[in-house]
Amino acid sequence: MAKKIAKRLAKANEGIDRSKQYPLEEAVKLLKERATAKFDETIEVAMNLGVDPRHADQMVRGVVNLPNGTGRSVRVAVFAKGDKAEEAKAAGADIVGAEDLVETVQKGEINFDRCIATPDMMPLVGRLGKVLGPRGMMPNPKVGTVTPDVAAAVKASKGGAVEFRVERAGIVHAGVGKASFDSAAIAENIRAFADAVIKAKPSGAKGNYVKKVALSSTMGPGLKIDPSTLAVS
């Protein structure tokens, strides 16, 4: 099995110039050609930013609605009561609850990918900071997951909303589609993501903000991208 994987990886790396910065469209084409796994590989973009997120004025965080979706099924949980709970269910939320849902999460049962809360639920949801925080799943008004409009938030999450947050090393990354998407759809999603990250540039960022950009698929090679080709036309 190991030999077979090594052979496939070697084949996937054929014709790849590790030192080259590829134009976005060329990189997408090369990745799609090499995405030969038995499942639909995820295309992921990683941006190395000139920030130090240990400083509050250099934190990069936000949300972007990818125009062509992510290609993955997202399970959404909503902390809400009464009419808002009914609105969430009608919008397609997978799990809706209040105190009962808090208790479930406290037990370590997290059967969702993203969670949303109405503002009045946050004193209750705040108890889950130690559980949801390390997973990057704590509802936050800055990314639209603490909101009275739960229906719109659920639909956005289901339709391709992607949260991003810079990591300690200054890298922000996200899945931006599937290898089965056509090249134009992948490129459009990547440009939308890059545009959102650029617009989220913090006040404390000095010098070169976008240092490096790389594109990869789940089982494929990583390709350097020419940042100048990411501009939204």
Side-chain angles (χ1 to χ4, degrees), residues 165-201:
R165 180 173 181 161
V166 69
E167 296 175 353
R168 188 175 295 178
I171 295 170
V172 62
H173 62 88
V176 288
K178 295 289 184 178
S180 60
F181 285 18
D182 68 55
S183 295
I186 295 171
E188 188 178 18
N189 275 0
I190 293 167
R191 286 197 169 99
F193 179 79
D195 186 53
V197 172
I198 290 166
K199 285 177 178 173
K201 180 179 179 179

Side-chain angles (χ1 to χ4, degrees), residues 28 32 35 39-44 66 68-73 175-183 185-187 189 216-218:
V28 170
K32 278 178 62 65
F39 60 92
D40 195 2
E41 297 183 45
T42 295
I43 303 296
E44 183 163 297
L66 298 181
N68 303 295
T70 62
R72 66 186 285 255
S73 176
V176 288
K178 295 289 184 178
S180 60
F181 285 18
D182 68 55
S183 295
I186 295 171
N189 275 0
S216 62
S217 63
T218 308

Side-chain angles (χ1 to χ4, degrees), residues 50 103 106:
E103 287 178 14
Q106 282 177 327

